[in-house]
Amino acid sequence: MSAKITRNLVANRLGSVTYDRFLLYLMGPYKSFNLNYVLTDEQRKRVAVADLPGPFRKLFQNEDAIDEAKALLRRVQGHLRTNPGVNAFLAVDVDVDTEQVDAVTQSIEYTRRANATVFVVPFLGHNLGVGEEAGSILENVADTHNERLVFVHEANVTSEMIRSARTRWDLRIETYETEDELVDTVRRFVITTMNREQFDDLDSLE
């Protein structure tokens, strides 16, 4: 690996927060799923978008609209950097060149260096790539970081990958229905992990 990813490198490339050394890696789709990208013109003509339930209408969202999937991650990140004040980050925030370290290897290394890693799986997210990347991470770090990992998926998301992850790696799985519930769930996980590091059975990563 030509660019070594360390805790210091990650922390030094992020802004200052109350708990600079508690690194929270947030993973999730950067793109919202849009059925217009995968249906043919003829298939789109057969779909009465206006008659679909609200969540499904959004799958045909305007491709020029603000990308809600990445915006969701950014809002969650902002909440956690404020309260409880941990160093929440997305992979792009560390700015390691993918020509030096490929994206999947980066994610594995970020997970190894992070105090906690959260996989956010929204209904409208383009989740296929995230699922594949999460699988690679779990294959490499679940044995040592299982208790520092959590999958938080929107209640109406179903995924064989999530079900198999629970069985194969005993991965913690949480659900949410609103963005507030998502933030609260992640915050509880973070605070529990912080307390376990300080007072209980999780070793410090420093």
Side-chain angles (χ1 to χ4, degrees), residues 30-97:
Y30 286 0
K31 295 183 180 296
S32 295
F33 190 76
N34 187 334
L35 281 178
N36 286 317
Y37 296 149
V38 296
L39 298 181
T40 65
D41 289 340
E42 185 59 35
Q43 289 171 326
R44 284 196 293 268
K45 290 176 185 176
R46 297 179 196 156
V47 177
V49 176
D51 295 334
L52 294 173
F56 292 97
R57 283 201 302 273
K58 291 181 181 179
L59 294 178
F60 290 86
Q61 66 186 13
N62 187 326
E63 62 187 74
D64 296 325
I66 295 174
D67 197 322
E68 178 56 23
K70 188 172 182 180
L72 172 65
L73 288 177
R74 286 300 189 194
R75 290 194 297 271
V76 174
Q77 177 188 21
H79 284 297
L80 275 297
R81 289 180 69 84
T82 301
N83 177 18
V86 295
N87 228 341
F89 69 98
L90 310 187
V92 292
D93 297 333
V94 186
D95 194 26
V96 173
D97 191 339

Side-chain angles (χ1 to χ4, degrees), residues 7 23 43 57 60 96 100 105 109 125 142 146 158 195:
R7 282 178 55 80
L23 303 179
Q43 289 171 326
R57 283 201 302 273
F60 290 86
V96 173
Q100 294 183 301
T105 301
E109 290 303 308
N146 180 279
T158 59
N195 287 334

Side-chain angles (χ1 to χ4, degrees), residues 128-178:
L128 180 60
V130 174
E132 292 175 346
E133 196 167 344
S136 296
I137 291 172
L138 291 167
E139 286 283 0
N140 283 273
V141 306
D143 288 346
T144 57
H145 282 62
N146 180 279
E147 295 183 90
R148 298 180 182 274
L149 304 171
V150 65
F151 246 98
V152 190
H153 67 89
E154 199 164 357
N156 50 2
V157 170
T158 59
S159 167
E160 185 57 40
M161 190 275 168
I162 294 175
R163 286 189 291 270
S164 63
R166 185 198 298 270
T167 302
R168 181 170 183 177
W169 292 288
D170 194 26
L171 184 66
R172 178 174 176 172
I173 309 290
E174 302 280 358
T175 63
Y176 71 94
E177 292 189 358
T178 68

